[in-house]
Amino acid sequence: MHKAIKNGIICIYPINGVAKLQYNLSLLKSIICNIHCLLDNDGEAIRALETAKSEALISSADYTFTNVRGMAESEFEDLLSIDVYKKRLEDDFGITIGNSLNGKKHKWSERLKIVFQSQGTDWSKEKVIDAVIEQLVKRVQKS
């Protein structure tokens, strides 16, 4: 898979929010792409998926949820090692993460939002996710 990504056969295309799922599925299908969606396992993703299915934009074979054992809802970031992004988030946002992201009571963004709020820092899910994705891309490019 690593070779396929490096050679451009497989493209990872973040849509930056499941609210844009239908638009991006339509766009990618219009340029004759085969798609497979990795979706967060939460209510928002499930609702967007049902809408996409009702519009015949996606079939059951075209998606996978980010299931994490022991969690009712989970996100892609729940699957990542904290080492991928911890230093970047601490440096960029002036927070201390420590062990505060451990646990499975809440999905990743909810746990991180609590960290930000408890330290009096503005929470911007979009900016945080952008920083995490940048760090993940850097790590993949190094390997």
Side-chain angles (χ1 to χ4, degrees), residues 60-74:
S60 295
D62 296 332
Y63 64 88
T64 302
F65 285 111
T66 56
N67 294 322
V68 176
R69 186 180 304 203
M71 294 183 72
E73 290 191 326
S74 53

Side-chain angles (χ1 to χ4, degrees), residues 8-13 23-37 56-59 62:
I9 295 168
I10 294 176
C11 175
I12 298 173
Y13 183 79
Y23 168 77
N24 282 282
L25 288 171
S26 295
L27 174 68
L28 293 170
K29 286 186 173 237
S30 73
I31 56 174
I32 313 174
C33 290
N34 293 323
I35 56 111
H36 191 89
C37 297
L57 294 172
I58 195 167
S59 71
D62 296 332

